[in-house]
């Protein structure tokens, strides 16, 4: 059993190391474009309610760079954001709402010490964090042109199948945000471009591995 768990953890974490290396090379080769993606996302996401569409646009910009390598297809980015705006907004608000509710229950628990408030705070926190992890492959699916239902279904299945990898991706994203925040201006210049390039590489690489494994097991 321990051997099986070790293999499962390794199968999710090994691609993370490879994705970090590929992302570093990608960012260096497309530094100006990555900075442009970061600044555009930072400005677009400031109202918070536009976090979803801004993220979908950033993912689409990264995808266009990966496809062409000659620059960002701005027309494709704008078209994708326009088509997925409502769905992206609603999907991205779910984790934010859950975390906000969790904070309110946590404050109520600190003020009153009631057990139900503490349990609700923990439950909403867990649900919010999980929803945040699911939102990564889901919003990426929207950026790839999937319908809202297909993107959510695929995102949920991907997160459930790669729970360790999803948590690792979330942790690396938080660390990257913390590091760039300490460097002040870097959070606007680098965070989104680097983080979303990593998300795209990691999610797509594991999805491709799943597809190949499915083809091998079911020829």
């Amino acid at each position: 059993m321990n051997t099986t768990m070790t293999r499962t953890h390794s199968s999710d974490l090994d691609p993370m190391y490879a994705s970090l290396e590929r992302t570093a090379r990608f960012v260096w080769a497309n530094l100006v474009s990555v900075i442009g993606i970061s600044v555009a996302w930072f400005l677009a996401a400031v109202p918070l309610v536009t976090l979803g569409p801004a993220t979908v646009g950033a993912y689409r910009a990264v995808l266009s760079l990966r496809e062409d390598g000659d620059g960002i297809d701005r027309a494709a980015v704008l078209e994708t954001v326009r088509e997925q705006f409502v769905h992206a907004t609603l999907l991205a608000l779910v984790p934010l709402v859950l975390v906000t509710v969790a904070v309110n229950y946590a404050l109520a628990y600190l003020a009153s010490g009631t057990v139900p408030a503490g349990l609700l705070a923990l439950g909403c926190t867990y649900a919010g964090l999980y929803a945040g992890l699911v939102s990564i492959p889901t919003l990426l699916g929207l950026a790839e042109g999937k319908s809202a239902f297909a993107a959510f279904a695929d995102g949920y299945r991907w997160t459930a199948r790669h729970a360790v990898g999803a948590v690792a991706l979330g942790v690396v994203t938080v660390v990257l945000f913390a590091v760039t925040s300490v460097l002040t201006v870097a959070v606007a210049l680098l965070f989104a471009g680097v983080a979303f390039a990593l998300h795209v590489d990691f999610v797509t690489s594991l999805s491709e591995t799943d597809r190949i494994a499915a083809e091998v097991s079911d020829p």
Side-chain angles (χ1 to χ4, degrees):
M1 180 176 179
N2 290 337
T3 302
T4 301
M5 291 180 64
T6 300
R7 288 177 180 173
T8 300
H9 291 184
S10 177
S11 65
D12 275 351
L13 294 180
D14 287 348
M16 172 58 74
Y17 302 137
S19 287
L20 286 169
E21 292 179 0
R22 289 193 297 267
T23 299
R25 292 195 296 269
F26 175 84
V27 170
W28 181 253
N30 301 277
L31 186 57
V32 174
S33 295
V34 167
I35 291 175
I37 292 171
S38 297
V39 173
W41 178 86
F42 183 83
L43 294 176
V46 166
L48 285 185
V49 294
T50 56
L51 180 62
T55 302
V56 168
Y59 281 147
R60 186 67 190 89
V62 171
L63 288 169
S64 70
L65 271 179
R66 284 165 59 94
E67 293 165 0
D68 300 330
D70 296 327
I72 298 172
D73 187 345
R74 292 177 175 80
V77 172
L78 292 174
E79 180 65 16
T80 300
V81 171
R82 185 186 65 80
E83 291 179 352
Q84 306 287 18
F85 189 90
V86 174
H87 296 141
T89 300
L90 295 176
L91 287 169
L93 283 178
V94 172
L96 292 176
V97 170
L98 288 171
V99 170
T100 300
V101 172
V103 170
N104 288 331
Y105 277 123
L107 293 175
Y109 173 74
L110 292 175
S112 62
T114 56
V115 174
L119 292 176
L120 287 170
L122 288 175
C124 289
T125 298
Y126 175 81
L129 293 176
Y130 189 78
L133 295 178
V134 173
S135 71
I136 293 174
T138 299
L139 294 176
L140 176 55
L142 292 180
E144 292 172 333
K146 297 178 182 178
S147 67
F149 179 80
F152 175 75
D154 290 346
Y156 177 81
R157 284 193 294 265
W158 186 92
T159 306
R161 187 179 298 115
H162 302 287
V164 174
V167 172
L169 186 61
V171 170
V172 171
T173 302
V174 171
V175 170
L176 180 61
F177 181 78
V179 170
T180 54
S181 295
V182 169
L183 299 176
T184 59
V185 71
V187 72
L189 296 179
L190 290 174
F191 168 69
V194 176
F196 297 150
L198 175 62
H199 292 180
V200 171
D201 189 281
F202 187 67
V203 173
T204 55
S205 65
L206 286 185
S207 297
E208 181 63 15
T209 300
D210 291 342
R211 184 188 66 79
I212 294 173
E215 290 179 352
V216 171
S217 62
D218 187 21

